[in-house]
Amino acid sequence: MTTDTTPADVFEAALEPVPSPDFTEERPAPAARLVVLLVVVVTLLGSAVGFALHTCQRDGPHRIVRADATFTLDEPGLYYRDAASGRIARAPHRDGGSAVAGGPSCERFYAAGDRALCLRTKPGRPPCTEAVVYDRHFHRLHTFVLPGTPSLARVSPSGQVLSWTTFATGRSYAATGFGTRTSVLDLRTGSLVRSIETIPLTIDGDRPGDSDPRNFWSVSFAADDNRFYATVSVGGRTHLVEGDLRAWSAHALRENVECPALSPDGTRIAFKKRVSPGTADPWRLYVLDLADLHEHAVAETRSVDDQAAWLDAGTLAYALPAQDGRATDLWSVPADGTGRPHLLAAGASSPANLA
């Protein structure tokens, strides 16, 4: 992928696993020692990246559990990852029904429209993530393998545009020095943006320098399959950005907004706001009105390190650490700031509500 900023240059029409690039070592011509040193450094870095990508392409010994034949997205309900089985489960909307864990094995999951996205780790060093796109019957459509560990997954309301984020370095957004890689896949055109970090970005009317390190994560799509929201970190500050896929541009709307989730009507953003500088309880869950950028906290007072999901126009779902310290539980809370949190499912994460 080139670093030019035109959509034609940054979109790659390859619905295949991300290939390992071929790195060739060039023989340095006689020159000053500094030039030779730079060539050696570049060669070593290229070899390291090439090895990492090549390692990701190898088939690992991990066991992938496929979905049961009767488990589909056709049934309405709350879909989520069940920690006990590692599989995707479905809890019916109707009271009294029991949850069924019959989906594929995933670590991160989301579904909308007629598509589902599953992220899982491939074992080995360095760590790699397998991103799998499924249809409504959980037939595998596309698979992508890339460096890093699974972090976030999202699907547009139509099911035609998907995004995933992996940790290239680190495993927590609360820690310093983490690095992310966020991709966007458009199933309508077969185009894949392997890293949106190259998108032209405007913050407070200015363009950050190309050399300024930046991380994008947690994409959330609008109903038009073009507008999206995401978090970007530049210079130690996080911003909510609004992006345009067709124009291939993004601009910051507000500082201190992480993991945005656009409401079904497209008017509000649920997000986690940093309220503490440390790693102990750093975030609270808020809702932002896009019309006037007014924000309010919801009734959940615990620290939410998750990209919330809208169950409907007035309810949010999110994961919190379980009491056992290993898994997470799914909770819900009204989006307007009233009410109180409600436990949806124990030992669960990655909620997606299908009507």
Side-chain angles (χ1 to χ4, degrees), residues 256-259 269-273 284-286 288 295:
N256 195 13
V257 173
E258 299 185 49
C259 294
I269 291 281
F271 68 99
K272 63 179 192 183
K273 178 180 180 178
R284 290 292 184 272
L285 193 58
Y286 276 70
L288 175 71
E295 66 180 34

Side-chain angles (χ1 to χ4, degrees), residues 158-182:
S158 71
Q160 294 303 302
V161 188
L162 306 91
S163 177
W164 54 84
T165 298
T166 61
F167 277 118
T169 57
R171 287 179 176 268
S172 171
Y173 296 101
T176 58
F178 70 87
T180 60
R181 179 188 181 100
T182 296

Side-chain angles (χ1 to χ4, degrees), residues 26 38 71 99 136 177 198 206 251 264 310 316 332:
E26 297 183 359
L38 289 175
F71 192 90
R136 294 190 67 87
T198 59
D206 297 323
H251 64 278
W310 291 79
L316 300 172
S332 68

Side-chain angles (χ1 to χ4, degrees), residues 3-331:
T3 57
D4 293 339
T5 58
T6 61
D9 289 330
V10 297
F11 278 38
E12 299 176 284
L15 294 183
E16 298 292 339
V18 178
S20 302
D22 295 326
F23 289 95
T24 58
E25 183 177 353
E26 297 183 359
R27 185 183 303 274
R33 291 182 178 179
L34 179 59
V35 175
V36 175
L37 177 61
L38 289 175
V39 172
V40 171
V41 170
V42 170
T43 301
L44 290 175
L45 288 175
S47 299
V49 174
F51 173 76
L53 291 174
H54 173 72
T55 303
C56 283
Q57 297 309 308
R58 298 184 307 174
D59 290 332
H62 64 305
R63 177 173 177 265
I64 298 174
V65 179
R66 301 182 183 277
D68 298 341
T70 58
F71 192 90
T72 72
L73 297 178
D74 294 330
E75 294 293 330
L78 176 67
Y79 290 74
Y80 58 87
R81 180 185 185 269
D82 173 60
S85 64
R87 304 178 68 180
I88 302 307
R90 180 184 62 245
H93 290 307
R94 298 180 302 275
D95 293 336
S98 58
V100 177
S105 56
C106 303
E107 293 178 50
R108 297 292 185 271
F109 171 81
Y110 199 76
D114 57 358
R115 294 293 182 265
L117 177 60
C118 173
L119 306 183
R120 48 185 170 239
T121 300
K122 295 191 71 174
R125 292 290 184 270
C128 305
T129 292
E130 183 179 64
V132 183
V133 181
Y134 292 102
D135 66 11
R136 294 190 67 87
H137 298 279
F138 286 97
H139 298 144
R140 184 189 293 240
L141 300 178
H142 309 291
T143 301
F144 303 86
V145 181
L146 55 153
T149 56
S151 176
L152 298 165
R154 268 302 191 265
V155 182
S156 71
S158 71
Q160 294 303 302
V161 188
L162 306 91
S163 177
W164 54 84
T165 298
T166 61
F167 277 118
T169 57
R171 287 179 176 268
S172 171
Y173 296 101
T176 58
F178 70 87
T180 60
R181 179 188 181 100
T182 296
S183 305
V184 174
L185 172 66
D186 191 336
L187 295 176
R188 300 166 303 176
T189 61
S191 63
L192 170 66
V193 181
R194 295 180 183 170
S195 177
I196 68 171
E197 278 70 23
T198 59
I199 192 170
L201 174 65
T202 302
I203 300 178
D204 296 330
D206 297 323
R207 289 276 302 275
D210 293 335
S211 60
D212 293 338
R214 65 188 69 177
N215 287 302
F216 280 85
W217 66 90
S218 61
V219 170
S220 184
F221 296 103
D224 62 3
D225 284 336
N226 177 61
R227 182 168 48 100
F228 69 90
Y229 296 89
T231 297
V232 66
S233 174
V234 180
R237 300 163 61 189
T238 59
H239 303 266
L240 170 68
V241 298
E242 181 180 17
D244 187 310
L245 287 178
R246 284 192 293 268
W248 194 239
S249 64
H251 64 278
L253 295 178
R254 189 181 184 90
E255 193 174 346
N256 195 13
V257 173
E258 299 185 49
C259 294
L262 186 63
S263 62
D265 62 4
T267 64
R268 292 157 292 161
I269 291 281
F271 68 99
K272 63 179 192 183
K273 178 180 180 178
R274 182 173 284 275
V275 295
S276 172
T279 58
D281 298 332
W283 295 292
R284 290 292 184 272
L285 193 58
Y286 276 70
V287 172
L288 175 71
D289 191 322
L290 290 172
D292 56 12
L293 296 184
H294 174 76
E295 66 180 34
H296 66 266
V298 301
E300 177 59 78
T301 59
R302 292 167 290 184
S303 183
V304 177
D305 184 10
D306 192 21
Q307 184 178 16
W310 291 79
L311 298 182
D312 52 43
T315 311
L316 300 172
Y318 50 93
L320 285 174
Q323 292 184 352
D324 62 12
R326 295 187 302 272
T328 59
D329 296 332
L330 273 183
W331 293 78

